[in-house]
Structures are given as C-alpha cells and as structure tokens.
Amino acid sequence: HILTRRHCVVLVKTELWKYRPVKHLAVGYPDAGGRNNSGRITVRCRGGGHKVKTITVNFRYSFPEIPKKLLAWEYGRRRSAWLSLVYYANGFFAYHPMIEGLERGTLVHANPDASGGVPRPGEWWQLGDVPAGSMICNVEMRPNGGGQIA
C-alpha cells in the first residue's frame, strides 16, 4: 500500500481558539459503551476510551436585543460546524454556529435599524425584512424554536 494525499482535505486551523472551552458551557457527554437501555451489550468492541465533553450551543440566540461581541472560534467536538464564542453586553457567554464573514472582535447588533437596512453577518432579521438575494443561515421554523435550517 502506498499512502497518498491525493483526496486529502486539509483544514486551515490557525485562527481557531487554542485553549479550553468556557467551563460552564462544556458538559459531559454520556458514553453508552455499546449497551442499550437495559444495559446489555448490543454492539461489540465498544467501550473504554477517553472521557469527552461537548459544548452547549445556543441555537435560540438568547438576548436578541443586546449587542454581542465575537471573541473566538472553536472546534466543536462531535459537530460538523465550527463554533463562535460570543460575549453579550450583559455579561453572558454563549456558543453559536460560526458564520462566515465575521472577524474576531466584531460587535453584532440584532435590530435592522442599527445596520442601516443592509444585513451584515451575524445579525438577526425577520425573513420579511431581509432584502432579496441576501445570504441567510440558521433559520427558525417556529418563533423561539431555535435555528434548524442551516
């Protein structure tokens, strides 16, 4: 076997946060170890391994009226998307799915009046207010249901 890098995809991770996640937003992830709800082994050769913590992601975007500041991007374990750590002006931290076009230190407002009628990355808008042809992400199906459509 000759190992090649022909179909290898390499991610550039130089901008990612290199430190541990915010402690109160990282929770333990239960490992089933190949066992079902009655404790019987249903999948062989599973178990052991290192304990894993997963990051709690806020898909509901709490406090939409309070401006937030993007602090860092992090690699989300057990997820296909990178996460952005944001700091709300009222002192809360939260993780949101990373949005392309946001830079570190960017201050994001939720109301359309603050941006002059042009949507910027990371802002929350009603679908009826978004101009045609704009890029959108993290769409809620029901009010306060949390983002469900990427």
Side-chain angles (χ1 to χ4, degrees), residues 97-111:
M98 192 176 92
I99 298 170
E100 220 174 317
L102 280 180
E103 298 295 325
R104 257 193 226 147
T106 306
L107 197 65
V108 179
H109 298 278
N111 68 3

Side-chain angles (χ1 to χ4, degrees), residues 15-146:
E15 294 293 320
L16 289 181
W17 182 253
K18 295 178 179 65
Y19 306 103
R20 292 180 183 255
V22 177
K23 193 166 188 174
H24 68 275
L25 295 175
V27 294
Y29 191 85
D31 185 23
R35 287 151 175 82
N36 63 6
N37 59 351
S38 63
R40 294 175 184 243
I41 295 176
T42 55
V43 181
R44 298 187 312 158
C45 305
R46 295 278 174 99
H50 202 280
K51 271 191 177 177
V52 186
K53 289 197 172 196
T54 187
I55 295 175
T56 306
V57 179
N58 184 2
F59 289 103
R60 293 178 193 262
Y61 289 92
S62 306
F63 318 113
E65 65 281 348
I66 298 174
K68 62 180 181 175
K69 184 177 182 180
L70 178 69
L71 295 180
W73 298 323
E74 293 192 25
Y75 173 76
R77 272 192 124 168
R78 301 181 175 268
R79 299 186 186 278
S80 60
W82 288 350
L83 304 173
S84 56
L85 175 64
V86 295
Y87 175 74
Y88 287 93
N90 61 356
F92 284 95
F93 287 96
Y95 283 103
H96 297 304
M98 192 176 92
I99 298 170
E100 220 174 317
L102 280 180
E103 298 295 325
R104 257 193 226 147
T106 306
L107 197 65
V108 179
H109 298 278
N111 68 3
D113 302 331
S115 61
V118 178
R120 291 182 297 188
E123 292 183 337
W124 301 291
W125 285 46
Q126 298 284 330
L127 274 180
D129 298 336
V130 177
S134 300
M135 293 286 289
I136 59 172
C137 67
N138 207 22
V139 179
E140 287 185 347
M141 297 300 289
R142 282 177 242 90
N144 298 324

